[in-house]
């Protein structure tokens, strides 16, 4: 966040009652300016909505200037356009037309200021080449000059712009330049505070959604376990003893629900360790091919009759560097997903080696994932729209990505709706196996 600097002697002189620059507007001393700044900061500290803070800031600076009409535009999420935020004194039609202004080297005062990351002074819009694309728009609203400065965050990246417009061709006075600098500082504080609050609210919403989903997902297997146990007890009391053919299905259901409950709890524990930074990952040579064969064999044991077919493609041993236990976890997560969403079709697992990485590829032929959801599925508590009716905590792929990245690898997905999904995991090779060209 930009720090609001104490008023230095030069600035204080420039804004003092005796400064000739005040001839451009009503007399304003340093005292009223400091009181105005404090009022804006109190609004920010009180959590007032950003729109109200910016409106108050603009009206205060317009009163201090006496000549300028002020505007704030914000950089959009794509970092390519500016969106209207506040300009209470500018014509509404102009504000609507400016909303969505492209950031660029020749894009009026505001779009150019963000592009350059420095103030842009245009004293005559009618003849300045920076306004070539929007000249008629500005002149039609009797806007003849515009000085704009970027509002920067703590890392020096633009958050938006603060602009001073004038009704006649003119350069900004030294007083207005000082006011513009103060305006950018105050606006930056307000915008960053607002964005931080929005991020906190987003995290809280995600937490609440997660707790709702987790409660439901955990409640289902627990309730099923209790019902099955109650049913067994009732049958035992009624019959004294039960035939094996009646016990076996119920015990099988108990086992399935118990395993589901265990998996959910393990995901929660992994997520907790990852978020707290306590999850440890070892680095040692691991035979990826053999690990895949071991995991598939273990998962298929006892369920081969009902589980989809798994085809393993591997020409021979492929050794990577990583944590054997965590690599098994990655394989289990990806194979479980492929079974869950694969519509019962065969699942293919390939193990390959390139000059720089060992590659694990898991391919299913199921419901697929829309391209717009590819990034979402690797985020915490998020699930693709196409799979939301299948249950789950929205943690599996997030945990998988975290594990892969902690082993210095990467994971990606290729998928389209109704066309299946292919997940590719790349893990580093042991140092002595890496081609010299890739070191």
């Amino acid at each position: 966040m930009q720090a609001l600097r104490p008023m230095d002697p030069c600035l204080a002189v420039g804004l003092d009652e005796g400064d000739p620059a005040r001839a451009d507007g009503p007399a304003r001393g340093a005292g009223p300016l400091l009181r105005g700044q404090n009022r804006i900061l109190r609004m920010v500290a009180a959590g007032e909505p950003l729109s109200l803070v910016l409106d108050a800031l603009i009206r205060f600076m317009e009163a201090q200037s006496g000549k300028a009409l002020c505007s704030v535009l914000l950089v959009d999420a794509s970092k390519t356009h500016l969106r209207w935020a506040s300009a209470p004194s500018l014509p509404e039609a102009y504000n609507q037309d400016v909303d969505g202004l492209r950031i660029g080297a020749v894009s009026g005062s505001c779009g150019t200021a963000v592009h350059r990351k420095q103030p842009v002074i245009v004293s005559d819009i009618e003849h300045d080449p920076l306004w070539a694309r929007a000249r008629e728009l500005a002149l039609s609203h009797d806007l003849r000059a515009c000085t704009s400065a970027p509002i920067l965050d703590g890392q020096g990246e633009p958050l938006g712009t603060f602009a001073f417009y004038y009704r006649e061709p003119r350069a900004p006075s030294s007083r207005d330049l000082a006011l513009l600098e103060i305006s950018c500082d105050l606006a930056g504080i307000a915008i960053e505070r607002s964005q931080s609050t929005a991020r906190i609210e987003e995290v809280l919403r995600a937490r609440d959604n997660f707790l709702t989903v987790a409660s439901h997902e955990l409640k289902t297997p627990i309730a099923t376990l209790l019902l099955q146990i109650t049913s067994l007890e009732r049958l035992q009391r009624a019959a004294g003893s039960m035939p094996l053919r009646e016990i076996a299905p119920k015990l099988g259901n108990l086992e399935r629900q118990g395993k589901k409950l265990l998996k959910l709890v393990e995901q929660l524990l992994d997520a907790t360790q990852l978020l707290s930074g306590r999850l440890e990952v070892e680095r040692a040579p691991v035979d990826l091919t053999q690990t895949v064969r071991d995991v598939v064999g273990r998962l298929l044991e006892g369920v081969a009759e009902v589980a989809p077919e798994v085809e393993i493609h591997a020409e021979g041993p492929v050794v990577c560097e990583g944590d054997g236990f965590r690599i098994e976890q990655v394989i289990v997560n990806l194979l479980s997903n492929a079974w869950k969403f694969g519509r019962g079709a065969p699942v293919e697992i390939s193990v390959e080696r390139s000059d720089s990485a060992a590659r694990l590829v898991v391919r299913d032929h199921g419901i697929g994932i829309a391209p717009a959801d590819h990034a979402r599925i690797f985020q915490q508590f998020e699930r693709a729209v196409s799979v939301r009716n299948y249950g789950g905590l929205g943690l599996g792929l997030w945990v998988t990505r975290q594990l892969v990245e902690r082993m210095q690898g990467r994971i990606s997905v290729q998928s389209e709706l109704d066309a299946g999904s292919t997940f590719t995991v790349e893990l580093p090779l042991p140092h002595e196996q890496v081609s010299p060209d890739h070191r």
Side-chain angles (χ1 to χ4, degrees):
M1 183 179 294
Q2 285 179 268
L4 183 62
R5 301 188 307 276
M7 188 174 292
D8 59 50
C10 294
L11 185 55
V13 170
L15 295 174
D16 190 73
E17 299 282 358
D19 182 9
R22 68 184 177 88
D24 287 319
R28 292 290 186 270
L33 185 65
L34 286 174
R35 288 195 294 272
Q37 292 180 71
N38 289 336
R39 181 169 66 88
I40 300 300
L41 290 173
R42 284 195 298 270
M43 292 180 68
V44 174
E48 295 280 355
L50 180 61
S51 59
L52 295 183
V53 175
L54 294 179
D55 277 0
L57 174 59
I58 284 174
R59 292 188 186 282
F60 175 67
M61 289 302 171
E62 288 176 343
Q64 286 289 311
S65 167
K67 292 285 187 179
L69 306 175
C70 298
S71 165
V72 174
L73 301 176
L74 299 181
V75 176
D76 70 1
S78 70
K79 311 292 185 185
T80 59
H81 294 79
L82 292 169
R83 305 309 303 262
W84 176 88
S86 179
S89 299
L90 290 177
E92 182 62 27
Y94 180 77
N95 289 334
Q96 292 177 3
D97 286 335
V98 168
D99 187 28
L101 176 69
R102 178 174 289 278
I103 297 168
V106 183
S107 191
S109 300
C110 295
T112 308
V114 172
H115 177 78
R116 295 179 181 177
K117 295 185 183 180
Q118 62 185 32
V120 171
I121 298 175
V122 173
S123 57
D124 188 353
I125 289 176
E126 186 173 7
H127 298 101
D128 197 294
L130 292 181
W131 278 82
R133 298 174 185 170
R135 179 176 293 116
E136 296 304 318
L137 172 65
L139 296 179
S140 69
H141 293 284
D142 197 28
L143 301 174
R144 305 287 172 170
C146 180
T147 294
S148 181
I151 302 167
L152 304 177
D153 64 14
Q155 287 70 49
E157 293 302 314
L159 296 168
T161 61
F162 203 106
F164 277 39
Y165 286 88
Y166 302 97
R167 294 290 189 186
E168 68 277 350
R170 55 166 291 164
S173 65
S174 59
R175 176 186 180 79
D176 278 2
L177 289 175
L179 291 174
L180 181 58
E181 184 177 355
I182 295 170
S183 299
C184 288
D185 281 340
L186 289 170
I189 292 170
I191 294 166
E192 287 202 281
R193 170 65 181 267
S194 176
Q195 291 180 345
S196 297
T197 301
R199 282 194 291 270
I200 291 171
E201 291 175 349
E202 183 179 351
V203 169
L204 291 176
R205 282 196 300 272
R207 182 206 64 183
D208 292 341
N209 290 339
F210 164 71
L211 290 175
T212 300
V213 172
S215 299
H216 174 75
E217 292 294 327
L218 291 170
K219 181 179 178 181
T220 300
I222 291 173
T224 302
L225 284 170
L226 294 175
L227 285 172
Q228 292 296 315
I229 291 171
T230 301
S231 176
L232 284 170
E233 290 174 342
R234 186 175 64 251
L235 289 171
Q236 178 67 26
R237 287 194 302 269
S241 63
M242 287 183 295
L244 183 60
R245 65 177 180 275
E246 295 184 26
I247 297 176
K250 296 183 181 298
L251 291 178
N253 193 24
L254 285 172
E255 183 181 16
R256 286 191 297 274
Q257 295 300 327
K259 287 181 177 179
K260 180 179 179 181
L261 186 57
L262 178 62
K263 181 179 179 181
L264 293 172
V265 172
E266 286 175 343
Q267 282 190 346
L268 287 172
L269 290 174
D270 286 336
T272 301
Q273 287 183 310
L274 285 165
L275 290 170
S276 64
R278 296 196 305 268
L279 189 138
E280 297 182 359
V281 174
E282 297 181 355
R283 299 292 296 276
V286 177
D287 186 337
L288 186 57
T289 303
Q290 189 58 47
T291 303
V292 167
R293 296 188 190 280
D294 291 344
V295 170
V296 171
R298 189 168 65 247
L299 291 179
L300 287 175
E301 186 177 351
V303 297
E305 303 83 7
V306 295
E309 181 182 352
V310 178
E311 302 173 2
I312 300 177
H313 305 285
E315 295 183 358
V318 175
V319 178
C320 65
E321 187 173 82
D323 185 315
F325 175 74
R326 298 303 178 184
I327 291 174
E328 287 189 6
Q329 202 172 344
V330 167
I331 298 169
V332 169
N333 286 349
L334 294 179
L335 184 56
S336 298
N337 264 11
W339 279 350
K340 186 175 182 179
F341 306 120
R343 295 172 174 166
V347 175
E348 302 170 44
I349 301 181
S350 302
V351 181
E352 309 162 355
R353 182 189 183 283
S354 69
D355 290 337
S356 59
R359 188 176 294 113
L360 169 71
V361 181
V362 180
R363 181 180 296 107
D364 68 62
H365 302 279
I367 62 175
I369 304 165
D373 282 334
H374 286 187
R376 179 198 303 273
I377 60 174
F378 292 109
Q379 296 175 8
Q380 191 179 3
F381 310 139
E382 292 283 359
R383 291 172 293 172
V385 173
S386 58
V387 305
R388 288 182 181 170
N389 294 328
Y390 286 77
L393 298 177
L395 283 174
L397 286 174
W398 177 77
V399 168
T400 299
R401 187 189 70 173
Q402 295 295 317
L403 294 176
V404 169
E405 291 181 351
R406 275 167 168 73
M407 292 185 285
Q408 307 303 311
R410 65 189 186 96
I411 183 171
S412 59
V413 63
Q414 290 182 315
S415 183
E416 293 183 5
L417 286 177
D418 297 317
S421 301
T422 299
F423 287 87
T424 301
V425 173
E426 292 183 316
L427 294 169
L429 298 173
H431 185 71
E432 62 272 12
Q433 293 189 18
V434 180
S435 167
D437 294 337
H438 291 84
R439 290 183 182 174

